Amino acid sequence: MSSAIPAQAPKGTLLRAGTLIVLETTNVLSSRDAQTGQNVSLRVKYDVMVSGRAVIKAGAPGSAQVISAEQRKGMGKEGSLAIRPSVVQAVDGQMIPLTGSSTSSAGTDTKGAAIGLAVVVSPLFLLKKGKDATIPAGYELQGSVASETTIE
């Protein structure tokens, strides 16, 4: 006599690799004080739905990594800043790794004006600095789920 064990349905919802997630910055980021490798806060902008279930909720925390940051320099050289989304939190609390292209910003380049003024007026204008690069709070960026993950 064999006793059959009923098969249990798999728990959770499968979040597929490549699923698009729209995020936004939570604070103003500036090349003046950002450091390469630094983590910065993001939040999910819209619910991520799979089979009618929200597996990542709007407002869920996430983070990005600063992949390059250069402060403004003399002779009007502008600053630059680039970030890449790295993780986001699912409804079950697990951190989901993300892939995606970087988002970057550059300050205003005033090099031409600085050199022109230096030639005409004074060499002190070579000390004129460009503007810092900034990414405003609420700036929208996209990431994709890096690998299939089951959300409980």
Side-chain angles (χ1 to χ4, degrees):
M1 206 168 161
S2 70
S3 58
I5 299 173
Q8 292 192 347
K11 287 184 176 181
T13 304
L14 184 65
L15 179 61
R16 297 208 180 276
T19 301
L20 181 69
I21 300 177
V22 179
L23 304 134
E24 62 185 356
T25 55
T26 58
N27 301 305
V28 175
L29 306 173
S30 172
S31 61
R32 181 176 18 123
D33 47 27
Q35 307 264 333
T36 300
Q38 171 186 352
N39 285 324
V40 295
S41 295
L42 301 176
R43 72 176 154 248
V44 176
K45 190 158 184 177
Y46 307 108
D47 285 350
V48 176
M49 306 293 290
V50 176
S51 301
R53 176 182 177 214
V55 293
I56 301 172
K57 293 285 229 176
S63 68
Q65 187 172 43
V66 176
I67 57 172
S68 72
E70 283 190 32
Q71 293 187 349
R72 64 188 181 153
K73 296 193 168 97
M75 287 191 57
K77 177 146 176 40
E78 75 276 5
S80 66
L81 178 63
I83 63 172
R84 180 179 299 137
S86 52
V87 295
V88 67
Q89 188 174 35
V91 294
D92 64 358
Q94 67 179 307
M95 298 307 281
I96 308 297
L98 301 176
T99 61
S101 58
S102 63
T103 296
S104 60
S105 174
T108 306
D109 188 349
T110 58
K111 188 174 7 183
I115 292 171
L117 287 170
V119 169
V120 174
V121 181
S122 161
L124 292 177
F125 279 100
L126 291 175
L127 300 176
K128 181 178 172 116
K129 291 189 180 248
K131 301 236 174 171
D132 288 313
T134 58
I135 298 175
Y139 184 84
E140 191 175 290
L141 59 153
Q142 298 178 345
S144 299
V145 173
S147 59
E148 287 189 355
T149 307
T150 301
I151 309 297
E152 298 300 325

